[in-house]
């Protein structure tokens, strides 16, 4: 069996040697190169074509975000971010890299883990990421000197037809940060609908995601605290399930739950979708975006059966065609759409003037 060829990118010599040592302990991996800055990472990735790159965010010459953008724009390679930075600014860089095409993020060892626990998690993450078929991200190419980005004209409230969907529910996992940005950028600000989001992203990397998503899209995004009225009052809002809590609709309001994980996930997309199916399906448009596993598929089916309008992202535009594929196989989606089509589709399904749930 072919070994998994890994490029390790880390500016700290001690950390870099530690990562290489852990990889060398498993015969399934072969470290084919090591880089200490972002420019070296790009050059070695181009020359060596590894199966996977482990990438630190803090790098000299070119940082991890710039390296990710270039790699994913020119020779797409699965990237696992390995980072110890959890302050607000560093988290924003991690989200930028995930939106630019990095597959996943893993916290560096703190030294407090039991022997072997972090090493096992690291090897498992590298193995999993290496199997992912990544797609080309053109962000780096579009951002170069003299480049012009052409986008379709944005929807406005005045251009939207009248429909009866006042709740928009979005679920995502791997590849989700970039997908959510794409969807929300195509949803008009001020649309009088409640947008609910469940994203699988592990702590401690999830704490500032809502703020970052708001900055990227122009929407006011915040974590739900529980008790919010489900029906929008005036302008709409975007609410996310907070780290480690399920988000559910109950008696016209939102609630948070610490009940057991579903599909090893808390928050779970299925938990939100199933609660909406019971509470307000006919007022809901729901979409299952890119992600690994099957969380959200059965919930999307429950919503469709109860009268919601349901969408699954297509394979070509998904970083991971796992969750939406499971939904498609179940017949849970009314429509299977490319990522660029999803924002306009959910916006058109939402109300223009607002109505109670």
């Amino acid at each position: 069996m072919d070994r998994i060829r890994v490029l390790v990118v880390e500016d700290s010599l001690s950390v870099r040697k530690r990562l290489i040592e852990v990889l060398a302990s498993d015969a399934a991996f072969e470290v084919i190169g090591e880089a200490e800055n972002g420019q070296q990472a790009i050059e070695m990735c181009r020359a060596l074509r590894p199966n996977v790159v482990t990438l630190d965010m803090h790098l000299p010459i070119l940082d991890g975000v710039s390296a990710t953008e270039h790699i994913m724009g020119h020779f797409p390679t699965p990237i696992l971010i390995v980072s110890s930075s959890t302050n607000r600014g560093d988290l924003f860089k991690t989200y930028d890299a995930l939106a630019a095409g990095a597959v996943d993020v893993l916290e560096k060892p703190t030294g407090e883990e039991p022997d072997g626990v972090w090493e096992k998690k690291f090897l498992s993450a590298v193995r999993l990421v290496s199997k992912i078929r990544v797609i080309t991200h053109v962000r780096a190419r579009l951002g170069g000197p003299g480049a012009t980005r052409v986008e379709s004209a944005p929807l406005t409230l005045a251009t939207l037809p009248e429909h009866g969907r006042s709740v928009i529910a979005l679920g995502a996992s791997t590849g989700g940060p970039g997908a959510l940005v794409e969807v929300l950028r195509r949803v008009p600000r001020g649309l009088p609908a409640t947008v609910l989001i469940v994203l699988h992203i592990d702590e401690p990397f999830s704490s500032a995601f809502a703020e970052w998503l708001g900055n990227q899209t122009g929407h006011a995004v915040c974590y739900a605290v529980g008790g919010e009225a489900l029906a929008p009052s005036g302008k709409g809002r975007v609410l996310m399930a907070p780290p480690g809590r399920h988000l559910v609709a109950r008696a016209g309001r939102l609630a948070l739950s610490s009940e057991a994980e579903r599909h090893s996930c808390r928050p779970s997309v299925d938990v939100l979708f199933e609660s909406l199916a019971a509470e307000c399906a006919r007022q809901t448009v729901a979409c299952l975006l890119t992600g690994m596993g099957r969380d959200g598929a059965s919930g999307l089916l429950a919503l469709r059966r109860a009268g919601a309008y349901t969408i699954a992202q297509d394979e070509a535009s998904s970083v991971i065609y796992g969750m939406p594929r499971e939904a498609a196989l179940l017949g849970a989606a009314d429509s299977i759409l490319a990522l660029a089509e999803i924002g306009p589709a959910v916006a058109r399904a939402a109300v223009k003037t607002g109505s109670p749930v």
Side-chain angles (χ1 to χ4, degrees):
M1 184 176 66
D2 292 339
R3 300 169 74 189
I4 299 169
R5 303 168 71 251
V6 186
L7 171 63
V8 176
V9 184
E10 167 64 57
D11 66 324
S12 166
L13 178 60
S14 60
V15 174
R16 189 165 73 247
K17 293 303 182 185
R18 177 58 181 149
L19 298 181
I20 292 171
E21 178 184 1
V22 174
L23 290 165
S25 69
D26 190 322
F29 300 97
E30 177 187 3
V31 177
I32 61 169
E34 53 183 287
E36 62 183 15
N37 62 64
Q39 186 61 49
Q40 283 184 347
I42 291 169
E43 293 168 356
M44 296 183 76
C45 195
R46 179 191 292 112
L48 301 176
R49 298 303 171 100
N51 300 124
V52 61
V53 177
T54 70
L55 181 69
D56 187 22
M57 284 289 94
H58 283 285
L59 297 169
I61 304 179
L62 283 179
D63 65 11
V65 177
S66 298
T68 299
E69 289 180 340
H70 191 95
I71 290 168
M72 300 310 297
H74 295 275
F75 27 90
T77 306
I79 294 174
L80 173 67
I81 299 168
V82 182
S83 176
S84 60
S85 300
T86 56
N87 64 59
R88 176 178 172 275
D90 290 334
L91 286 174
F92 276 28
K93 291 181 180 179
T94 297
Y95 305 145
D96 285 341
L98 290 170
V103 174
D104 206 352
V105 57
L106 178 70
E107 187 178 17
K108 287 180 181 177
T110 63
E112 300 177 359
E113 302 88 354
D115 288 346
V117 170
W118 183 88
E119 290 81 359
K120 182 178 180 180
K121 189 174 182 180
F122 173 60
L123 292 172
S124 176
V126 175
R127 182 178 286 106
L128 188 62
V129 167
S130 72
K131 297 177 181 178
I132 292 172
R133 177 191 60 82
V134 292
I135 59 178
T136 300
H137 285 245
V138 297
R139 182 164 145 181
R141 296 179 182 177
L142 294 175
T148 301
R149 182 167 187 168
V150 180
E151 295 195 10
S152 58
L155 292 173
T156 66
L157 294 180
T159 66
L160 292 176
E162 187 76 38
H163 289 289
R165 312 285 180 174
S166 56
V167 177
I168 299 170
L170 306 173
S173 184
T174 310
L180 289 169
V181 168
E182 176 73 14
V183 171
L184 289 182
R185 280 179 175 170
R186 295 174 182 268
V187 173
R189 292 187 292 274
L191 186 74
T194 298
V195 180
L196 304 175
I197 297 174
V198 172
L199 172 68
H200 301 159
I201 182 169
D202 292 338
E203 295 184 85
F205 296 102
S206 53
S207 61
F209 185 82
E211 182 184 357
W212 175 86
L213 186 61
N215 290 345
Q216 293 290 314
T217 64
H219 288 274
V221 184
C222 61
Y223 287 113
V225 297
E228 297 94 340
L230 190 56
S233 176
K235 293 184 177 181
R237 64 272 167 91
V238 182
L239 299 171
M240 290 191 66
R245 305 290 299 278
H246 294 305
L247 179 63
V248 297
R250 188 179 296 156
R253 293 189 175 274
L254 295 174
L256 302 179
S257 166
S258 296
E259 293 181 3
E261 295 178 347
R262 184 85 69 88
H263 309 298
S264 301
C265 300
R266 190 173 61 222
S268 161
V269 184
D270 267 336
V271 169
L272 173 62
F273 282 5
E274 288 169 6
S275 72
L276 292 172
E279 181 77 16
C280 56
R282 293 187 179 278
Q283 286 75 46
T284 299
V285 51
C287 180
L288 194 56
L289 298 166
T290 173
M292 190 174 298
R294 56 191 177 91
D295 186 31
S298 64
L300 198 72
L301 180 61
L303 276 166
R304 188 181 188 194
R305 287 174 171 171
Y309 173 48
T310 58
I311 301 169
Q313 187 176 349
D314 72 356
E315 181 175 7
S317 66
S318 294
V319 173
I320 298 289
Y321 193 55
M323 289 159 43
R325 177 180 182 274
E326 293 297 321
L329 290 174
L330 288 176
D334 289 300
S335 301
I336 296 176
L337 301 177
L339 181 59
E341 301 172 315
I342 292 172
V346 299
R348 292 188 181 100
V351 295
K352 187 171 71 173
T353 57
S355 61
V357 174

